[in-house]
Each structure stands twice: as structure tokens, then as C-alpha cells.
Amino acid sequence: MELPFAESWKIKMIEPIRKSTLAEREEWLKKAYYNVFQLKAEEVYIDLLTDSGTGSMSQGQWAALMLGDESYAGATSFYKFEAEVQKITGFKYVIPTHQGRAAENVLFSYLVKPGNVIPGNAHFDTTKGHIESRKAKAIDVTIDEAKDTQLEIPFKGNVSIEKLEKVLSENKGNVPFMVLTVTNNTVGGQPVSMQNIRETSAVCKMYGVPIVMDSARFAENAYFIKTREKGYENKTIKEIALEMFSYVDGMTMSAKKDAIVNMGGFIATNDKDWYEGAKMFCIPFEGYITYGGLNGRDLNALAVGLEENTEFDMLDTRIRQVKHLADKLDEYGIPYQRPAGGHAIFVDADKVLINVPKEEFPAQTLTCELYLEAGVRACEIGYILADRDPVTRQNRFGGLDLLRMAIPRRVYTDNHIDVIAAALKNVYDRRDSITRGVAIEWEAPIMRHFTVKLKRL
Ligand SMILES: *Cc1c(COP(=O)(O)O)cnc(C)c1O
């Protein structure tokens, strides 16, 4: 008999988690204003809020912490980190930052001017925030296919070359760079093909516009290229990643994703002007350029994480687990963004809570229901996260309204995944009786989803 698939690691340390009662969860959720970001972590049984900074570090990473050099300037930890980033990305200049958005803040402070236009295959919320707060415009040039959650194509995260060309030709001289996000988080952790990266790069070159790769999940993207794109079957993840980076001018990275650290990020580029420009902002915002808001030990763990998580077996274990959740949802007939993405499953809330009008935020309502059902904390990637249009101040209902279940790396077993799927099935089975959603009582002007206060209608 053929042996079944199993994880490429074993467990050395455990952390107890606790179930709760429905009555407890009702009280906690009300106190949190129906915003799961406001829950205490101990009020959660299985936490799928994010895969960011929530992974389990390896024994190699924990060992590296002990070797941290906490010198203010020129620590050995920095040089280990710098050499690893150079090896994985092929970029010469490296600036550490405390997380991904800090990398955006530092680099964009140099690159973005009021009135600029910045296209992207779908801007992540902090990326959009850092562009819009500088009075520039973030335009999504996502392929139309990405909006059809039921359509199954291998590279749903791709850039629409046609839409990109239109933005570039209509805004000549006003586009400081284009953002290429891998994998494309906003449309469901969907990968971008190497062919699309190559075409995007060619178009941008034609217009003299550089590319910043938002690389939070570049290793997962490389995994999908290896397993889905012709010609890459026999290449290693590291070879594929190097090729991906070779088509762009620089990168920002949230190391809390594919480098599997609890905190960390960086900027890397071959452009000396970008490096010098970003350095000026790193020092006041993040700290001196050889630590950028991180401890020496953090830089060590980051370097080891990058090295280990660009190996196929590690990624194979992870992405198969995400697929396992998708397979369960298929069994129960629950619609999600197909095919399964790299880090999360995005349930199409509009198709589940068909009786809840969009003005009452179906995905946020589904997030509340899933928590009440079993203490599973997912999050809304939908109309609340989309924020208001900066000019008209109207809610943006044009995109998808999704419930995201992000799977932390190396944290939960497939038994936990089965509990999550069963809880969602129970909500799904009573979907017809859910007719009202939530209303906003208070919101911040940007990135409102973290702190929004809601009431149940
Ligand atoms: C997480 C993320 C960021 C921001 O990184 P943080 O470390 O959370 O600040 C930027 N872009 C993408 C695609 C991300 O997933």
C-alpha cells in the first residue's frame, strides 16, 4: 500500500488551548463590539485571524536566538541576515525593519509623492494605506477572473497586463513604481505565474517604471510555480525565487509570513538611490540601519527561517494542510475562492449569507457566526477592510466580501482543521435563518477593520 502523506517535521513543544461555552462567547463578542480583533486571545479556541507572526519556529531558529549579537551597530547578526537575504533574493542592498508595513513606510517615504499613481495586482491593506495616506492613488490591476470565486485557474493572482498598460499609458511620468504582490493576498493567497511576472516586467520596462515586489509569501508563490507551471517542475524553490526577484527592482517583505518569525521585515534592492533614500527614513522610523527595529536575535532567527522555509518539503506540508481544509469545504458544499490558496481559505460570504444585504457586511457577520459556533477566530477580508473611497467617503462594495481563515504555519494539526470545517458546516446549515448583519458604530478614517466598533442588527 502506498504510504499516506505526513508532515515533514515532528513536534517538540506544545501550548495548551482552551474551549469555551456559547454563553461565554456571546458575552465576549458583544464586549468586543463584534470585531474579532478586539477579542482577547484567550477567548479564542482555534485562531485563524492571521498567518502573520503566528508560526512555530524551528529548533534551528530557537538555537539561533541564543547566538544573537545585540551590538547597536554592525552586529554579527546583521551580517548573517544580510548575507541570507542577498543569497535568497539576489539583491545587494538590504535594510531590516520591524515588520512588512514598516518596510513599506520607509521605502514609500522616499518614493511616493502626492498625486502619484501606483498600480498593483491587488494592493494589500497596509500597502494601500501607505500609498493613500501620502495622497497618492493605489489602483488594482487585478485580472477579472480573480473576482469569480468559483472559477478554477492556476494563477489567479496574476496582473492584468491590459489594465496595467492602460494605467501606465494614462499616467506617464506620474508612476514612481508598480507593486507586484506574491502571492496575491487580497484575492485569496493566489499565486502569480513566472510568465506573468516576466510580462509585467517587460511592460513596466517599456514605460520606464520600476517594480517593487511585495514578497510576504514569495516562497509559497515559488511552490505554486514549481507545482503548476510548465518548465519549473525540476527547479528548486530557491532557484525559482531567485528568478522571480530577477524581474523586479526591489522588494519589501513581511518576514512574519514566509520567514516564519514572530516579528520582522526588510527592504532589499539593487538600486543604490532607493537604498540611500530609504536609509534616511529607516533611521528616524526604525532605528540604525544594521538593526531596523529588530533585536540581534530576531535577525538571526529570520535568517534561519528564510533558509529553511525555501525548501520544498516545508512548503509542501503547509500548502497541503490548507488544501485539506478546502477539501473538507468541498465535501460540505461551502463556496470559497477556488482553487485553495497558499496561506488561507477565503469563504465567499456573499454566496453563503444570501439573506444579509451587502450594506450589513455579510463576511463580517459570518466571522461573528463562526466564532460563536466554536470559538474559531477567522477574519473579514471584504467591505469593511476595503475602507471608504478617500474622495467620495462612500463604502467600497465593488470587490469581494470574504471570510478569511488563515492557517498559521506548523501550529495546528489536521484534527484542528476538521473542527474548523465542521464549525463552518454548522453555520452553513443554518444560513437561511441569518437575515441581518452588523452596522458600524465607530470607525477610524483608514485601516478601520482593526478597531471598528459594530452593533448586531
Ligand atoms: C502582511 C502583509 C504586509 C504587511 O506586513 P506586516 O508584517 O503585517 O506589517 C504587506 N503585504 C502583504 C502582502 C502582507 O501579507
Side-chain angles (χ1 to χ4, degrees):
M1 152 178 202
E2 196 187 332
L3 297 180
F5 178 81
E7 291 80 359
S8 61
W9 36 259
K10 58 181 179 174
I11 297 165
K12 187 175 293 216
M13 191 188 288
I14 58 95
E15 177 182 340
I17 50 178
R18 182 182 160 270
K19 290 184 197 169
S20 53
T21 64
L22 176 61
E24 284 175 321
R25 292 193 292 276
E26 279 172 341
E27 188 195 317
W28 293 334
L29 191 60
K30 188 160 178 239
K31 243 184 24 220
Y33 292 95
Y34 299 93
N35 176 355
V36 294
F37 280 98
Q38 304 293 320
L39 288 169
K40 290 181 179 156
E42 63 189 7
E43 295 164 349
V44 173
Y45 174 42
I46 301 174
D47 205 346
L48 309 182
L49 186 62
T50 176
D51 64 321
S52 179
T54 54
S56 299
M57 289 205 297
S58 68
Q59 59 177 2
Q61 289 177 287
W62 281 104
L65 290 179
M66 293 303 294
L67 302 174
D69 175 354
E70 306 302 341
S71 306
Y72 189 93
T76 58
S77 297
F78 171 76
Y79 293 107
K80 277 189 213 167
F81 153 83
E82 183 190 46
E84 182 64 29
V85 174
Q86 287 168 337
K87 173 184 147 186
I88 297 288
T89 67
F91 291 125
K92 190 161 37 172
Y93 304 113
V94 184
I95 300 175
T97 62
H98 81 274
Q99 61 184 97
R101 71 199 65 189
E104 292 165 358
N105 188 31
V106 167
L107 185 62
F108 293 5
S109 289
Y110 176 63
L111 292 179
V112 180
K113 302 282 176 294
N116 280 168
V117 168
I118 295 152
N121 50 336
H123 294 277
F124 181 67
D125 57 341
T126 62
T127 320
K128 184 177 269 161
H130 277 302
I131 291 169
E132 291 180 347
S133 67
R134 290 178 171 80
K135 307 223 169 341
K137 197 165 167 203
I139 300 182
D140 287 343
V141 291
T142 315
I143 54 170
D144 290 333
E145 291 91 325
K147 280 202 173 185
D148 178 355
T149 59
Q150 299 313 293
L151 181 72
E152 196 131 354
I153 54 170
F155 293 102
K156 229 171 173 176
N158 277 357
V159 177
S160 162
I161 301 296
E162 208 176 307
K163 290 184 197 172
L164 174 64
E165 255 203 289
K166 186 158 181 286
V167 173
L168 296 180
S169 67
E170 286 172 357
N171 295 280
K172 278 191 192 138
N174 197 27
V175 183
F177 58 91
M178 180 269 174
V179 180
L180 184 54
T181 305
V182 292
T183 57
N184 191 334
N185 188 350
T186 309
V187 307
Q190 298 289 332
V192 180
S193 70
M194 193 71 87
Q195 188 189 334
N196 188 253
I197 296 174
R198 221 177 278 127
E199 287 169 7
T200 300
S201 165
V203 169
C204 284
K205 274 214 174 73
M206 220 162 68
Y207 286 89
V209 170
I211 301 175
V212 174
M213 190 170 268
D214 181 349
S215 314
R217 298 180 185 80
F218 76 93
E220 290 173 2
N221 200 86
Y223 173 92
F224 286 117
I225 288 175
K226 180 176 170 71
T227 52
R228 292 183 184 171
E229 192 163 350
K230 215 168 157 318
Y232 289 91
E233 309 83 342
N234 299 320
K235 292 205 189 298
T236 65
I237 298 293
K238 286 185 171 67
E239 285 166 346
I240 295 170
L242 261 184
E243 185 180 339
M244 285 164 54
F245 290 122
S246 75
Y247 297 118
V248 302
D249 303 88
M251 65 182 288
T252 54
M253 167 106 184
S254 170
K256 301 168 70 169
K257 295 12 178 300
D258 274 356
I260 321 192
V261 288
N262 302 118
M263 195 55 70
F266 58 88
I267 299 165
T269 180
N270 279 335
D271 188 316
K272 186 134 201 306
D273 290 340
W274 284 14
Y275 174 63
E276 294 299 336
K279 254 168 48 180
M280 284 188 318
F281 291 98
C282 179
I283 293 171
F285 290 156
E286 295 291 299
Y288 187 60
I289 53 167
T290 62
Y291 74 86
L294 293 171
N295 298 302
R297 54 182 176 271
D298 295 339
L299 290 166
N300 276 10
L302 203 169
V304 174
L306 266 185
E307 177 64 31
E308 291 178 349
N309 200 41
T310 45
E311 288 298 317
F312 180 79
D313 284 351
M314 206 54 87
L315 292 157
D316 197 32
T317 296
R318 162 164 186 67
I319 289 172
R320 279 173 185 263
Q321 187 176 48
V322 177
K323 174 83 168 38
H324 175 68
L325 178 55
D327 291 345
K328 281 278 164 194
L329 299 197
D330 281 342
E331 196 182 318
Y332 304 146
I334 302 170
Y336 60 90
Q337 171 71 301
R338 313 183 70 88
H343 69 287
I345 295 297
F346 293 66
V347 176
D348 194 340
D350 263 348
K351 287 198 169 62
V352 174
L353 298 185
I354 45 174
N355 297 329
V356 177
K358 64 178 188 302
E359 292 78 13
E360 296 180 12
F361 304 106
Q364 182 64 26
T365 307
L366 189 58
T367 306
C368 292
E369 291 294 338
L370 180 62
Y371 174 71
L372 291 173
E373 182 66 33
V376 174
R377 174 161 69 172
C379 84
E380 190 247 29
I381 301 276
Y383 302 144
I384 292 182
L385 178 109
D387 272 338
R388 289 174 189 273
D389 184 284
V391 180
T392 67
R393 300 308 297 158
Q394 292 300 305
N395 280 311
R396 291 191 266 210
F397 290 120
L400 293 171
D401 197 36
L402 305 167
L403 164 93
R404 182 182 80 172
M405 299 184 288
I407 313 296
R409 293 165 184 78
R410 312 186 289 211
V411 171
Y412 294 113
T413 68
D414 286 358
N415 290 330
H416 293 112
I417 299 290
D418 293 346
V419 170
I420 297 157
L424 196 62
K425 178 184 190 300
N426 290 345
V427 176
Y428 188 64
D429 286 348
R430 59 180 164 80
R431 64 191 182 280
D432 287 341
S433 67
I434 304 168
T435 56
R436 299 302 306 269
V438 293
I440 294 176
E441 279 199 324
W442 180 88
E443 63 185 285
I446 59 162
M447 293 190 227
R448 63 181 179 180
H449 58 291
F450 290 118
T451 52
V452 69
K453 290 183 176 172
L454 302 162
K455 65 169 183 238
R456 204 70 223 245
L457 295 169

